[in-house]
Structure formats: structure tokens, C-alpha cells
Amino acid sequence: AQKITQTQPGMFVQEKEAVTLDCTYDTSDPSYGLFWYKQPSSGEMIFLIYQGSYDQQNATEGRYSLNFQKARKSANLVISASQLGDSAMYFCAMREILTGGGNKLTFGTGTQLKVEL
Amino acid sequence: DVKVTQSSRYLVKRTGEKVFLECVQDMDHENMFWYRQDPGLGLRLIYFSYDVKMKEKGDIPEGYSVSREKKERFSLILESASTNQTSMYLCASSPSGYSYNSPLHFGNGTRLTVT
């Protein structure tokens, strides 16, 4: 079974600084997809970034980048130039494709990020 | 834009009641999911469906059932609500197939309180 581990329940970062949110995963499948979602206090789940297991380069989306280290089974999210609006819960997730075409995402427990002035 | 709509934002029910949580998506997605979110536990998958009338158990199906009679609608049913089912419930959808990179699209959640 797939497993996602986020070991940082809470993180603080100063505005304009960069921050790294940790995510490790465990799977025996050679093919998988990794996602990061942001959940602000409003509760909506916002998709941030995706990394495929065969992607050669680390994914980037604006101020978000994914530090993908396949051998270590880690997929850390890096947020550059933090803003107050980045304060939120962040979830790492992994997709498993099932026999028959269905798929499901397994989520980690999340990291609560607070950006301070 | 994909829209996933959950019928209630807040719900208060009594122990033993039968509870229906409804979810509708408008993008013709084959896959639909129900998660519950609890502090410190993240999102845990209850049930999912990859086709009409199909359903699969997730990681925590006990005490729940689902119904998918139409492609756009996926209902979560608590047959006899209990206080330990007080939680935030999130519905999501995604396209079918073997595409790894399609993100889930989530509804805004239903916060259920069972008293």
C-alpha cells in the first residue's frame, strides 16, 4: 500500500524568505504521480504542483517548485519569497493507478505553514 | 473550470440518524471520491467510484456506504450516524484512465457534527 509521510506538523517562515515542506513516500510501483495541495483557512483545496515518477526535471509553478529525489523517495515543496497569503495547510499526495482504470490519491497528514512579518 | 458542488456546507445531525451527503460535478469526470479530514490525520479516503454504479472501498469505509446512480452525482451515506463521524467531508472528482497527472478537483467540504 502507498504511504505518504509529512513530518512537520507546523512551520514558521518570515515573509520573503524561502521555505521547504517535507514529504516522503513509500510505494512499490515504478509509476506514480506526486501532488501538492494548499488548503487556506477557508477550507478549499487548491492544486499547486505535480511531479511524475519518470519526469527528468523537477516541477516548477511560479513560486512553487518540487525538489524530487527519487532514490530517497522524497518530494519536498519549496516556496520561494513567502507571502502572508501562503499561510495555510499544505498536503502532499500520491496517485496510484488501479487495475481496471480507476485511480486514487493517498494524502499525508499535512503541514500548517504560518508566514510572519 | 471544473465545479464540484457539495450540497451542504454545515450539517448537524443526531446520533442514529441516517445522513446523506451529496456531491455533484459538472465536468463529466468518471472518478469521484469521498474523503474525511480530521486534525492531525490529514485526508483519509472513505470510498471512491470510477464509473456509474461502481464503488470501491477506500481506507476507512466502516460505517459508510455510497451511491452512484448517475455519472455526475456521488452520495455518501451514514446509515446510523455516530459521534465519531463528526468531521469535515470532502468530495472530489477527476478524469478517468491511466493519466497520472490529472489533479483531483475538490468541493468546498461539508462540516458534519453528530450530537
Side-chain angles (χ1 to χ4, degrees):
Chain A
Q2 298 192 333
K3 186 175 166 63
I4 293 280
T5 303
Q6 294 181 255
T7 57
Q8 306 154 313
M11 290 277 288
F12 289 89
V13 65
Q14 295 243 303
E15 196 181 22
K16 299 178 187 169
E17 297 290 313
V19 63
T20 298
L21 306 184
D22 294 341
C23 173
T24 58
Y25 59 91
D26 188 24
T27 180
S28 55
D29 292 335
S31 301
Y32 48 89
L34 296 158
F35 297 80
W36 277 91
Y37 279 84
K38 173 185 178 181
Q39 187 182 46
S41 56
S42 59
E44 61 184 310
M45 290 285 284
I46 302 167
F47 164 66
L48 294 178
I49 196 166
Y50 166 81
Q51 179 83 43
S53 59
Y54 293 114
D55 292 345
Q56 294 297 312
Q57 296 197 324
N58 287 342
T60 60
E61 288 286 348
R63 293 186 300 111
Y64 303 109
S65 61
L66 204 152
N67 184 1
F68 181 47
Q69 297 187 45
K70 194 170 181 177
R72 297 180 62 184
K73 293 190 175 178
S74 75
N76 299 338
L77 177 70
V78 180
I79 306 174
S80 62
S82 298
Q83 302 172 356
L84 294 177
D86 294 333
S87 294
M89 180 71 86
Y90 289 81
F91 290 101
C92 180
M94 179 164 55
R95 164 164 275 137
E96 175 185 3
I97 300 290
L98 305 172
T99 307
N103 68 86
K104 63 176 186 176
L105 259 66
T106 300
F107 284 80
T109 52
T111 296
Q112 182 73 49
L113 176 67
K114 183 148 175 68
V115 180
E116 301 174 313
L117 289 169
Chain B
D1 252 7
V2 177
K3 195 162 173 65
V4 179
T5 303
Q6 294 183 232
S7 54
S8 304
R9 186 82 169 117
Y10 298 95
L11 214 50
V12 180
K13 296 292 182 182
R14 292 198 182 276
T15 301
E17 275 193 80
K18 190 168 185 175
V19 181
F20 292 86
L21 302 183
E22 306 287 347
C23 176
V24 176
Q25 51 94 4
D26 66 358
M27 278 301 290
D28 205 35
H29 284 170
E30 280 76 11
N31 296 303
M32 296 189 75
F33 308 82
W34 276 107
Y35 289 87
R36 67 176 278 177
Q37 182 179 0
D38 301 287
L41 297 178
L43 278 71
R44 294 179 292 166
L45 183 63
I46 305 171
Y47 266 96
F48 61 105
S49 167
Y50 54 87
D51 203 352
V52 176
K53 296 194 187 295
M54 303 295 289
K55 59 185 179 184
E56 295 285 343
K57 292 180 180 179
D59 300 316
I60 51 163
E62 296 78 19
Y64 303 94
S65 62
V66 290
S67 171
R68 192 160 181 209
E69 295 296 318
K70 292 185 177 181
K71 191 175 186 180
E72 66 271 19
R73 186 180 295 272
F74 192 35
S75 303
L76 180 69
I77 303 159
L78 286 67
E79 295 288 342
S80 177
S82 65
T83 54
N84 63 13
Q85 292 178 310
T86 291
S87 187
M88 171 69 88
Y89 291 86
L90 292 165
C91 176
S93 73
S94 75
S96 74
Y98 294 90
S99 169
Y100 281 91
N101 63 353
S102 301
L104 294 192
H105 299 270
F106 283 86
N108 285 334
T110 295
R111 186 165 293 282
L112 172 68
T113 302
V114 182
T115 60

